[in-house]
Amino acid sequence: GLHYFVKELAPFAGKRILIVGGGDSAVDWANALAPAADKLTLIHRRDQFRAHEDSVAKMRAAPVDIRTPYELKSIDGDGRVEKATIYHNESKREETLNVDAVLVNIGFNNSLGPIASIAETLRAGPARPQRRPDLEHDPARAEASRVQQNVLVL
């Protein structure tokens, strides 16, 4: 019952589906699953969707029960998903939906974090060895210094 992505459409055929989210993934899955679902409800925490306008327009024209501004409070069931409690995030009014599946598509952070600095280092290319007059007469120390300068420490 609880899904974060869809591998195949067939397992959702004839099911009561709740989709949580308002971005491209949520809206695209609503459009793909609506024709096969027994009932499809999509909730989003805001009145506006971040998804592409054409996809939102298609969803609004499809048999999708769109609820805004709603959020998911809980999922319940006995060994499988049977119910989901949603709430209106302004009035705090709760409602329980009978569902067979919940598809959660909330947020995708494409920030690279610390990997971004590594990518910058790699884009800059290898460091150029510095000429060190103090090592010119000691070949072993010169080689060790050259190797150390060419090692990228991650």
Side-chain angles (χ1 to χ4, degrees), residues 16 75-84 96-101:
R16 299 165 298 174
I75 300 171
D76 299 299
D78 186 17
R80 64 182 176 86
V81 171
E82 296 174 345
K83 297 178 186 216
T96 300
L97 307 175
N98 292 320
V99 296
D100 302 303

Side-chain angles (χ1 to χ4, degrees), residues 97-137:
L97 307 175
N98 292 320
V99 296
D100 302 303
V102 176
L103 176 57
V104 179
N105 290 127
I106 52 173
F108 172 72
N109 184 352
N110 63 356
S111 169
L112 295 176
I115 294 174
S117 64
I118 295 169
E120 285 299 316
T121 301
L122 293 173
R123 271 196 290 276
R128 300 204 181 254
Q130 302 277 330
R131 186 170 179 272
R132 304 243 341 241
D134 61 314
L135 301 177
E136 286 180 6
H137 299 293

Side-chain angles (χ1 to χ4, degrees), residues 126-132 145-147 149-150:
R128 300 204 181 254
Q130 302 277 330
R131 186 170 179 272
R132 304 243 341 241
S145 177
R146 187 189 65 74
V147 170
Q149 288 179 8
N150 290 328

Side-chain angles (χ1 to χ4, degrees), residues 57-78:
K58 182 179 174 185
M59 179 182 68
R60 291 189 188 281
V64 177
D65 179 15
I66 302 169
R67 310 273 189 103
T68 62
Y70 276 84
E71 295 183 50
L72 180 64
K73 181 179 180 182
S74 65
I75 300 171
D76 299 299
D78 186 17

Side-chain angles (χ1 to χ4, degrees), residues 1-4 6 9 12 16-35 37 39-45 49 59 63-68 70-72 75 84 86 97 99-106:
L2 177 60
H3 305 270
Y4 295 96
V6 175
L9 299 178
F12 294 91
R16 299 165 298 174
I17 304 166
L18 172 64
I19 297 178
V20 182
D24 286 310
S25 293
V27 172
D28 289 347
W29 283 120
N31 287 330
L33 294 169
K39 178 169 178 58
L40 193 140
T41 303
L42 181 136
I43 63 171
H44 183 46
R45 62 188 168 100
F49 291 91
M59 179 182 68
V64 177
D65 179 15
I66 302 169
R67 310 273 189 103
T68 62
Y70 276 84
E71 295 183 50
L72 180 64
I75 300 171
I86 61 174
L97 307 175
V99 296
D100 302 303
V102 176
L103 176 57
V104 179
N105 290 127
I106 52 173

